Amino acid sequence: MAATVPAAEHDFFKSKVLGHPAGLFVLFFTEMWERFSFYGMRVLLINFLTMAIVGVDNPGWGWSAENAGALFGTYAGLLYLTPIAGGIIADKITGYRWAVVIGAGIMTLGHASMALETEFSLYFGLALLVIGTGFFKPNITSIISEMYDGKPDKKDGAYTIFYMGVNAGAFFGMMLCGYLAERVGWSWGFGLAGIFMLLGTLQFWLAKPLFGKIGGVPDKAKIAEETAKEEASGIKDHSHNPFTFLDKILILATSVIGFLYLINDP
């Protein structure tokens, strides 16, 4: 894991909103718009795939419920596998903030692709959403953890506020995207999910000065220097809990088994 920088170093708590730094509410709205887009698209997907081709005002593709469920299940399962890779890449290479930006940008393209309503664009869009979620999901919460390093009394409250954004985004996403898809057309519902994902990406990018070095690109030389100092002094500034070799084997084995199960179309 990348070495953390104490939140106090950047005066996060000098200007407070509800007792928390402004950066928390940037993350709140970023996650809210991501959940808006995710649940807004999800509530449409099965209906779009299974809606009868004839006899309705807003036809879909007329898939069977079994085939639509299999596609959705594969998509949802992959959403829980790619964050493993996304977290490793952020820890070692990009840092948390860049991973969030990359993931949000890829998901925006995924929603835009689905709005085209062709067979290729649907599969391509779902693939982009899976990849983007892998970058986005594990790292936005890691930014909160790093921001509140050394302030455990405030961390629980911060996550409570953050997950209020999750619930709000899910509620409004299902309502608004579903309404547009039903009243106007499927592409409008899929497109609205992409628009709000883009808004979330932009507001996170524009607010980057609020975070200072929190979630930045890992400084490998600095990390190695701090680790050497800790080992020499015998005093550790942070509680390290690295994966053991057995942990890594189990993670790899379960990931491979899960992936093979998903692509086997059970």
Side-chain angles (χ1 to χ4, degrees):
M1 296 294 289
T4 57
V5 180
E9 182 178 323
H10 301 292
D11 293 327
F12 284 125
F13 289 85
K14 184 176 181 180
S15 178
K16 297 180 181 179
V17 180
L18 299 178
H20 293 273
L24 174 64
F25 294 91
V26 172
L27 299 176
F28 171 98
F29 285 109
T30 304
E31 180 69 11
M32 185 177 79
W33 296 134
E34 189 273 333
R35 290 292 89 184
F36 181 103
S37 64
F38 173 77
Y39 282 100
M41 183 282 294
R42 195 178 79 164
V43 77
L44 303 181
L45 184 58
I46 294 292
N47 288 336
F48 169 68
L49 292 173
T50 59
M51 190 72 72
I53 297 177
V54 294
V56 294
D57 295 331
N58 194 18
W61 284 4
W63 285 24
S64 68
E66 291 80 7
N67 287 338
L71 176 62
F72 180 80
T74 300
Y75 160 70
L78 289 172
L79 291 179
Y80 289 92
L81 283 178
T82 53
I84 297 173
I88 293 172
I89 292 172
D91 271 344
K92 305 295 184 183
I93 304 173
T94 64
Y96 302 140
R97 290 207 318 269
W98 267 112
V100 169
V101 171
I102 292 169
I106 293 174
M107 285 190 286
T108 299
L109 295 176
H111 288 296
S113 179
M114 294 185 69
L116 299 177
E117 293 187 36
T118 68
E119 185 173 357
F120 171 79
S121 68
L122 176 75
Y123 290 127
F124 184 63
L126 289 175
L128 290 177
L129 291 176
V130 168
I131 296 169
T133 299
F135 280 99
F136 185 97
K137 199 62 183 170
N139 295 305
I140 191 166
T141 50
S142 296
I143 295 174
I144 298 178
S145 180
E146 191 169 335
M147 284 173 61
Y148 285 81
D149 181 43
K151 294 183 179 289
D153 56 318
K154 291 185 174 290
K155 186 177 289 189
D156 285 346
Y159 278 109
T160 299
I161 293 172
F162 178 76
Y163 282 110
M164 288 171 61
V166 172
N167 294 328
F171 174 78
F172 288 112
M174 289 186 288
M175 294 288 287
L176 295 178
C177 292
Y179 178 82
L180 268 184
E182 180 181 354
R183 297 293 183 180
V184 184
W186 298 108
S187 61
W188 287 86
F190 289 128
L192 184 65
I195 289 171
F196 279 98
M197 188 69 253
L198 178 61
L199 290 176
T201 308
L202 290 176
Q203 68 97 32
F204 181 80
W205 174 258
L206 294 174
K208 62 180 181 179
L210 289 174
F211 297 97
K213 295 182 179 179
I214 296 296
V217 177
D219 187 338
K220 296 181 180 179
K222 185 177 180 180
I223 294 170
E225 180 182 349
E226 291 177 350
T227 302
K229 287 181 179 179
E230 289 179 355
E231 292 177 351
S233 64
I235 301 175
K236 293 186 177 181
D237 292 332
H238 306 283
S239 177
H240 297 284
N241 186 26
F243 288 124
T244 65
F245 181 73
L246 178 59
D247 291 334
K248 295 176 181 178
I249 293 296
L250 291 174
I251 291 171
L252 178 62
T254 54
S255 297
V256 170
I257 292 171
F259 180 73
L260 292 176
Y261 176 79
L262 289 171
I263 64 174
N264 192 45
D265 189 21

